[in-house]
Amino acid sequence: MIYKDEPLTEAQIKELDALESRPVEFDADCPELTADQLKQIAAQARAKRVTRRQVVALRVSAATLEKAKATGHGYTGFMSRLLDLAINNPEMVKRCL
């Protein structure tokens, strides 16, 4: 089994190299994609690239960062959602100006 954070073993590398030369075999569970399906996937990928979140740097107090990190893994997403809610609330915006 291959794990994300572990380096590949020699045996795993050999197995992957051997698989590289084998043809792909499509079946009922995994049919080959049609040209239309590939176009739809490409369109979805383009749309996702356009709507991707922007990366910005913000200065926050140490206490705020500590509280955010205390929420656990994904705290930056949590902070992004929290900022979205606050910026879309006119009362909150007025209070913070």
Side-chain angles (χ1 to χ4, degrees), residues 29-82:
D29 290 333
C30 184
E32 187 170 9
L33 296 175
T34 66
D36 286 338
Q37 289 171 321
L38 291 170
K39 286 179 186 176
Q40 288 176 347
I41 292 169
Q44 289 171 347
R46 280 191 300 276
K48 186 170 184 158
R49 279 193 298 268
V50 171
T51 60
R52 224 184 321 187
R53 294 180 182 179
Q54 297 293 313
V55 176
V56 298
L58 295 174
R59 294 183 187 273
V60 296
S61 70
T64 297
L65 185 58
E66 188 176 318
K67 287 177 187 175
K69 285 184 176 183
T71 65
H73 180 73
Y75 73 92
T76 56
F78 158 73
M79 291 179 74
S80 176
R81 291 186 299 278
L82 189 61

Side-chain angles (χ1 to χ4, degrees), residues 1-8 12:
M1 193 159 232
I2 296 174
Y3 296 99
K4 180 181 172 185
D5 296 327
E6 293 181 12
L8 296 175
Q12 289 170 328

Side-chain angles (χ1 to χ4, degrees), residues 1 6-7 11 15 22-23 26-28 59 62 65 70 88:
M1 193 159 232
E6 293 181 12
E15 187 176 350
R22 291 181 59 189
F26 299 102
D27 61 21
R59 294 183 187 273
L65 185 58
N88 289 313

